Every structure is written in structure tokens, then in C-alpha cells.
Amino acid sequence: MSSNPGEQGAPQYYRPGPSTGHYPQYPQNPYPNGWTPAAPAPAQQPGPQWNTGSAPQGWGQPPAGLAPGGTAPVARPRQVVTALILLIAAALPFVLMGATAMAAEIDQAALDQAGVPRAELESVMAQAGVTMDQLTQLVRVMGGVFLVLALVYAALAVVAFLGRPGARLALAVLTAVYGLPLLLLMAPSIPVFAVAILAIASTGVVLLYGRAAKEWYASRKVGAARRAG
């Protein structure tokens, strides 16, 4: 039996019978132990809701890369994909140049093929006290440095593509630190190549810091924090 009197209906009273001389009898107390009203269920407070275009109220539009519920990243923007392609394209020539220099053998035939004036080269080598073998080793070491830097640059581009903002910062630093010296070094001999490479790499870095990319990186950071929590 429910303890709520509202669910029992109104109390019923006995009607007096014919003139029997007896007083009408009232029913017994249906709640001898007393009645305690049931506590109302607490109202559920709705959580924050993102606007999806139809609701007039809400917390505004969810960040780019989040589902309408603001829970998980959806897809990386095209700018990040384009940045990866540009950064790999900027690093690839130096990978080839470094690998070629590491396998190079500097001799008179190679110098003649490269168009290096023999008299000027011998004068410079004499002043520096460098032999042909030492020059070969120097070229190979420089080629190894170019190769390693280019591979690191390409690897950072891939890591940034996967959503790590630290790699994005490292790419910006490397482009600024090595881009200008590279331009100055190559400008006298191959200026078009130097300018093109620097422009391609800079464009890739700028795309990684564009609005769509920054919102995507922020959404991934929020998603990682929620998964960790």
C-alpha cells in the first residue's frame, strides 16, 4: 500500500443507518504510524550544449575539429595536409644533395665537370693548407650534415601532421635559423633555388599556424586531456 494519501482517494465515512439509536462510526485511521511525504526527485540540470545551428541558446559553435558534443577530434584540416606536402618538398632536395655529397669523390675530373676553376681552387687550398683528400672528407661531412638536418626536418613535419604542436614550433625555429643562412649561401650561385626552397618551407610553417590548424591542435589537446581525466 502506498504511503501517499493522495493515491488512496478521499476518506470514506459510514452513513448512519435507520433510527437504531447508534451514532455513526468513523473509519479507523488508515495511517496509524503517521504519513511521511515522499521526497521529490531532484531535477536534472542540463549540461552545456553546443549550438548546432537550430538551437537558439547554447554555448556557441564548437571548436573546429570537435563533434557537436565537443568530445573528440573529427578530421585534420586540409591546411595541415598541404603543410606536410610543402615541408617534405622543401626537405627532399637536401636529402638528395646530402646523400650525393657523402658518396662524392673529389678529384680533378669532378672539379672540371663541376666547372670549378683549377687555378683558383689550388690557390684557396694552398692558403688553407687543405689537400684534395681533406677536401673530399670536408665535402662528405657537409653532405652528412645536410642529410641529417633534412631528415630531421621531414620527421618533424610528419610529427606535426600527426598533431604534436611541439613539432610545429621546432619547424618554425629551424626554418628561421637555417633558412636565411641558406638563402645567403646559395643566392650567389643558385638564387632561384634558394628563394624557392625558403618560400615553400615558410608557406608550410605559416599553414601550420593558420586559424584552422590552431583550432585543430587545440581540439586534440582538449580531447587528450579528457581521455587522461
Side-chain angles (χ1 to χ4, degrees):
M1 177 180 295
S2 174
S3 62
N4 192 339
E7 299 178 0
Q8 301 295 325
Q12 303 294 325
Y13 300 97
Y14 294 104
R15 294 180 177 275
S19 300
T20 60
H22 298 286
Y23 290 99
Q25 298 296 321
Y26 291 94
Q28 295 181 355
N29 183 5
Y31 308 103
N33 297 323
W35 169 67
T36 301
Q44 295 184 355
Q45 298 295 331
Q49 300 293 326
W50 296 107
N51 283 342
T52 58
S54 58
Q57 302 293 333
W59 284 32
Q61 296 295 330
L66 290 185
T71 55
V74 177
R76 61 177 54 85
R78 289 177 297 178
Q79 289 86 340
V80 176
V81 180
T82 304
L84 173 65
I85 296 173
L86 292 176
L87 293 171
I88 293 295
L92 185 58
F94 295 100
V95 173
L96 299 177
M97 291 170 57
T100 302
M102 290 185 66
E105 184 69 33
I106 307 300
D107 53 16
Q108 190 58 49
L111 295 175
D112 293 339
Q113 185 177 2
V116 178
R118 181 174 180 178
E120 294 183 7
L121 178 62
E122 290 179 350
S123 175
V124 172
M125 292 176 61
Q127 292 178 0
V130 177
T131 64
M132 192 67 68
D133 291 338
Q134 292 174 337
L135 179 61
T136 299
Q137 294 299 323
L138 179 60
V139 170
R140 290 178 178 177
V141 169
M142 292 181 61
V145 172
F146 273 95
L147 179 61
V148 170
L149 288 176
L151 291 176
V152 170
Y153 197 83
L156 288 173
V158 174
V159 176
F161 171 79
L162 296 177
R164 300 297 181 90
R168 179 180 59 164
L169 176 61
L171 285 168
V173 172
L174 285 177
T175 302
V177 170
Y178 293 102
L180 185 58
L182 178 67
L183 180 63
L184 297 176
L185 178 64
M186 294 185 171
S189 56
I190 43 178
V192 176
F193 174 78
V195 172
I197 291 296
L198 184 58
I200 291 172
S202 300
T203 302
V205 173
V206 170
L207 288 176
L208 290 179
Y209 278 91
R211 179 178 179 181
K214 287 195 294 186
E215 291 179 352
W216 178 69
Y217 280 111
S219 72
R220 288 185 57 85
K221 184 177 180 180
V222 171
R226 289 182 176 177
R227 289 191 297 270

